[in-house]
Amino acid sequence: MEKESETNKDVRDTKIKNATDIQRRKLEKLMKNPEKPVEIPDRPKERNFPKPPDFVRNVMGSSAGAGSGEFHVYRHIRRKEYSRQKWIEEHAKKVPIPNTDSIIDQCLTSGW
């Protein structure tokens, strides 16, 4: 009982000076009872974005003559467009590409 109170006192007396001390304290807390089960959280679910639009409205560029307030609007639209393009690229990697030769053959044989 005395050993437990001494170790708790030692942990409380040490001052946290940087991130290493925080990590050390967390590890010491975990290693106090190695038999205790540790819960590892599941991976976060994929974010479900809305379908990207075919036509992007309010497209503007950073050109001469634009007011100083327009830059923030432009930056927001640019960031939104980059995230849309990134989503399209990631989604294209996940979806298998069909064999185009078989599709062409089907169209030719059906008379389409």
Side-chain angles (χ1 to χ4, degrees), residues 40-87:
I40 300 173
D42 294 335
R43 293 186 67 157
K45 294 181 180 179
E46 262 188 58
R47 296 192 316 186
N48 193 7
F49 290 105
K51 186 177 176 182
D54 293 331
F55 181 77
V56 180
R57 298 187 190 319
N58 297 328
V59 176
M60 55 191 304
S62 61
S63 62
S68 61
E70 296 299 316
F71 174 72
H72 301 291
V73 175
Y74 161 74
R75 189 174 56 177
H76 173 69
I77 291 171
R78 184 183 65 182
R79 186 176 293 146
K80 195 172 173 183
E81 176 65 15
Y82 284 159
S83 67
R84 184 184 76 88
Q85 289 175 0
K86 183 181 176 186
W87 182 85

Side-chain angles (χ1 to χ4, degrees), residues 88-98:
I88 290 171
E89 289 173 3
E90 289 175 357
H91 187 66
K93 289 177 186 175
K94 293 178 185 177
V95 176
I97 299 172

